[in-house]
Amino acid sequence: MAKEQNTSFQDVVSHCKKLGFIYQSSEIYGGLSAVYDYGPYGILLKNNIKQYWWKSMVQMNENIVGLDAAIFMDPKVWKASGHVDAFSDPLVDNKDSNKRYRADTLIEDYIESKIQKKIDKDVAKAAKKFGEAFDKAEFLATNGRILDRQKKIDEILNRMNTALNSGDLTDVRQLIIDLDIACPVSGSRNWTEVRQFNLMFSTQGGGATSDDKLYLRPETAQGIFVNFLNVLNTSRQKIPFGIAQIGKAFRNEIVARQFIFRMREFEQMEMQFFVRPGQQQEFYQKWKEARMKWHLALGTSPDKLRFHDHETLAHYADAALDIEFQFPFGFKELEGVHSRTDFDLKAHQEHSGKKLQYFDPELDESYVPCVVETSIGCDRMFLAMMSNAYQIDEAPDSKGVLKERVVLRLHPAIAPIKCAVLPLVKKDEALTKKAREIFDTIKYSFECQYDEKDAVGRRYRRQDELGTPYCITIDEQTIEDNTVTIRERDSMKQERISVSEIEKIVSERVDMRNLLKQL
Ligand code: GAP
């Protein structure tokens, strides 16, 4: 069996760029920071992820309908939602380097580099010393030095969260000073005051007066809330029901790093589920489990996914969690599931003066529904899938010698190209003619690629790097008996099948229904 090697985040980023999955925006001008473009293979993978999400929501649930709201909305929407007053990050500048940082990120980075790293080192040392008998959970729960370090982390986070939640920015600055945090660029501790910086981008409307200030939406959810009545009155839905939407969102992130993990322009896939007040906890649990199932169906190992309950809740939420994925740089938020109570609809009701209520025939009364939200970044999901799929193993070359192979083990249903059609040699016109014929027949059913350049072994490698689950090879025998070989990406096993079976076999194996049936 082929040996797998460890891969780094840098490998994944380079692969995305090299293979045409993702490019930096405006690259020929030096590149716009934290904004990215999707290339020929990236757009196919991204569309497949979106399609999987959309089908799992709108197609699979009779009581979920879709929406595509505009990016621009009445600015009063953002006042009502709280984004104008409170959608901000705490910033601090270093006076010597003139570099700007998110205060909470500086503190979190301190924890990571000064304390957590020591814990990880101790764990690695103990694991080496005790070998198979090592019980990590027990070690973390009982080792005195680790407990002291963990206590210190908890104290720091507690103080930071209390200060941030109460708006005590002076204490956030004091914490930076108490921890003796230095600017990574200048090395000095010469910090400005900490202040809040609103993350919304704004622009001017047609009239170009200050009253015409328009915001680029920082989340898609508000487009759903303000259309609650429209959808209710036109879709014949009854509570409980949901509205799903995929669309662009914009945030002026100060710390934009880790490639497409944190971007200034990104895409969200959000679903707001409207329920009877009092039933939100039940649906929160339901959606929490449903969303984890959605991730697991893609073949991601359960070890790489976990729930993280929010310790401190936003003022409008009565429960909230993240689904975290183990990115190459650690477990980080991939998706949020939030029980947002009736806060959003009530806020829009108050600011718009329109009643946003539902008449419940079973109860014979009207109420403002509560909302359970699932919210995932499409780009972040893309990065999770690329990080999960990118592997280096070994494969025999034409002489049977094991050579390193880069392979993207994407689930076939989301792979950009489903099937490559390869004549064994380019020179043989009978083979290329037959291969073209096959390509022209099967291209109606799924995304295919015809490739005749280079030796067939190199072409297999190229398809492995793109994550193509199947390669069809047309050889001498094809001309004699109308059969081809079909090669499977992960096992590299080849089978001989008849030309007439190709379309059916590949269609069945790459069918998105295979994912949906697991939900
Ligand atoms: N409506 C709720 C909401 O927007 P959020 O936790 O701010 O909640 C939801 O965002 C998801 O959107 C995150 O879990 C993440 O996947 C994605 N996301 C948020 N900010 C992002 C950014 N700057 N770049 C890429 N994805 C982002």
Side-chain angles (χ1 to χ4, degrees):
M1 182 57 201
K3 203 171 67 195
E4 272 174 27
Q5 294 178 16
N6 282 335
T7 55
S8 72
F9 183 48
Q10 205 40 54
D11 293 335
V12 176
V13 175
S14 307
H15 193 76
C16 284
K17 291 182 176 170
K18 193 179 103 192
L19 273 283
F21 281 90
I22 293 175
Y23 314 119
Q24 175 112 45
S25 164
S26 327
E27 202 172 301
I28 58 168
Y29 287 96
L32 186 63
S33 165
V35 186
Y36 292 90
D37 301 337
Y38 285 81
Y41 299 110
I43 182 62
L44 293 172
L45 172 57
K46 192 180 184 199
N47 280 345
N48 290 339
I49 291 173
K50 288 200 266 188
Q51 210 188 31
Y52 173 39
W53 185 88
W54 186 265
K55 282 176 183 284
S56 75
M57 288 291 179
V58 179
Q59 186 176 317
M60 300 289 292
N61 294 287
E62 278 176 68
N63 61 349
I64 297 183
V65 292
L67 180 78
D68 183 19
I71 288 171
F72 288 137
M73 303 177 75
D74 190 308
K76 292 197 258 331
V77 168
W78 305 110
K79 185 76 187 156
S81 66
H83 284 82
V84 170
D85 297 320
F87 191 57
S88 47
D89 278 343
L91 294 191
V92 64
D93 290 354
N94 182 269
K95 291 184 194 165
D96 298 314
S97 65
N98 289 324
K99 286 278 170 205
R100 179 164 289 177
Y101 300 93
R102 256 179 73 167
D104 52 342
T105 310
L106 268 185
I107 295 167
E108 281 161 6
D109 285 353
Y110 169 88
I111 291 174
E112 184 61 38
S113 62
K114 300 281 185 216
I115 314 178
Q116 186 61 48
K117 262 210 174 129
K118 287 185 184 153
I119 295 181
D120 295 345
K121 227 171 157 181
D122 281 353
V123 170
K125 251 199 216 156
K128 203 170 163 196
K129 187 170 161 197
F130 296 113
E132 295 231 316
F134 180 61
D135 182 338
K136 185 176 168 188
E138 197 192 325
F139 184 70
L140 288 174
T142 53
N143 181 279
R145 209 156 57 163
I146 294 213
L147 288 175
D148 284 349
R149 290 193 170 124
Q150 192 54 53
K151 189 166 162 236
K152 175 108 178 107
I153 293 180
D154 294 344
E155 278 168 8
I156 296 171
L157 285 178
N158 238 336
R159 182 169 161 199
M160 180 182 86
N161 287 331
T162 309
L164 286 173
N165 290 338
S166 63
D168 185 355
L169 298 181
T170 312
D171 197 47
V172 177
R173 179 175 189 269
Q174 194 54 48
L175 181 57
I176 292 174
I177 290 165
D178 291 350
L179 294 173
D180 205 27
I181 297 176
C183 167
V185 176
S186 69
S188 91
R189 291 157 177 80
N190 200 3
W191 297 109
T192 61
E193 296 305 309
V194 176
R195 66 214 177 285
Q196 291 290 1
F197 173 85
N198 195 288
L199 296 182
M200 281 197 293
F201 283 105
S202 63
T203 184
Q204 294 295 118
T209 69
S210 56
D211 292 345
D212 295 323
K213 188 171 184 179
L214 289 176
Y215 295 101
L216 275 75
R217 66 180 177 201
E219 61 170 14
T220 61
Q222 299 303 323
I224 295 180
F225 294 130
V226 301
N227 276 297
F228 166 73
L229 267 193
N230 283 337
V231 174
L232 185 66
N233 293 336
T234 52
S235 68
R236 303 168 64 91
Q237 288 291 340
K238 291 195 190 95
I239 270 177
F241 78 96
I243 305 178
Q245 171 164 230
I246 299 178
K248 289 269 186 175
F250 304 82
R251 295 182 189 178
N252 199 357
E253 301 281 1
I254 294 308
V255 184
R257 56 182 182 188
Q258 284 148 340
F259 197 40
I260 57 168
F261 182 80
R262 197 174 296 287
M263 304 155 87
R264 300 211 164 100
E265 175 179 341
F266 57 101
E267 235 171 330
Q268 286 188 314
M269 307 189 283
E270 296 201 294
M271 195 279 298
Q272 312 293 324
F273 203 71
F274 299 92
V275 306
R276 188 186 285 172
Q279 294 188 337
Q280 65 268 34
Q281 282 301 330
E282 177 195 328
F283 284 102
Y284 172 72
Q285 291 302 329
K286 179 180 172 287
W287 280 107
K288 169 183 166 180
E289 300 306 331
R291 293 306 303 149
M292 184 57 98
K293 245 184 171 179
W294 186 88
H295 288 284
L296 291 171
L298 284 161
T300 308
S301 156
D303 299 345
K304 288 195 160 189
L305 290 160
R306 70 181 186 195
F307 292 120
H308 174 246
D309 291 317
H310 289 198
E311 287 95 24
T312 43
L313 292 173
H315 60 281
Y316 53 77
D318 61 8
L321 61 87
D322 296 334
I323 295 177
E324 292 186 337
F325 173 77
Q326 191 175 27
F327 289 94
F329 40 85
F331 269 102
K332 298 277 176 216
E333 174 185 348
L334 173 59
E335 167 157 14
V337 181
H338 314 125
S339 173
R340 301 179 64 125
T341 68
D342 56 7
F343 172 84
D344 303 275
L345 287 181
K346 270 200 173 144
H348 287 303
Q349 180 168 272
E350 201 177 293
H351 282 76
S352 68
K354 297 276 181 325
K355 260 193 174 174
L356 299 181
Q357 297 196 351
Y358 173 76
F359 177 73
D360 192 326
E362 276 178 37
L363 298 181
D364 196 25
E365 67 180 53
S366 293
Y367 52 75
V368 176
C370 282
V371 170
V372 174
E373 162 185 78
T374 75
S375 174
I376 177 165
C378 183
D379 314 85
R380 211 171 271 190
M381 183 64 193
F382 186 109
L383 184 59
M385 289 299 91
M386 286 300 278
S387 313
N388 196 47
Y390 182 90
Q391 285 169 17
I392 298 175
D393 63 10
E394 286 173 333
D397 67 5
S398 56
K399 294 182 190 115
V401 180
L402 282 183
K403 287 268 165 69
E404 201 174 277
R405 165 180 94 134
V406 172
V407 55
L408 270 191
R409 291 208 165 107
L410 291 166
H411 191 288
I414 61 165
I417 307 287
K418 308 300 186 196
C419 179
V421 179
L422 318 171
L424 188 62
V425 281
K426 187 182 172 186
K427 288 193 298 274
D428 190 332
E429 222 177 279
L431 298 191
T432 53
K433 186 164 169 271
K434 183 70 184 170
R436 276 270 168 220
E437 237 176 71
I438 291 174
F439 175 79
D440 284 335
T441 310
I442 63 174
K443 71 181 180 190
Y444 295 95
S445 300
F446 36 77
E447 197 74 42
C448 303
Q449 194 168 70
Y450 176 85
D451 189 5
E452 58 180 26
K453 199 169 164 264
D454 300 324
V456 75
R458 283 191 61 184
R459 280 179 275 158
Y460 284 150
R461 297 289 174 279
R462 214 154 42 219
Q463 295 301 329
D464 291 343
E465 290 183 356
L466 289 175
T468 307
Y470 298 102
C471 287
I472 300 291
T473 308
I474 290 85
D475 54 18
E476 292 292 326
Q477 198 180 325
T478 312
I479 309 300
E480 286 162 22
D481 65 5
N482 217 27
T483 63
V484 292
T485 60
I486 179 165
R487 172 188 181 270
E488 199 272 327
R489 177 196 66 204
D490 297 346
S491 63
M492 294 178 275
K493 287 215 174 89
Q494 303 202 17
E495 269 179 85
R496 200 126 202 129
I497 59 169
S498 100
V499 167
S500 59
E501 291 175 302
I502 301 173
E503 199 165 349
K504 183 169 177 284
I505 290 177
V506 178
S507 292
E508 275 172 11
R509 295 186 192 172
V510 305
D511 197 334
M512 200 162 277
R513 283 181 297 183
N514 299 333
L515 287 176
L516 298 174
K517 280 178 188 164
Q518 293 178 59
L519 302 180

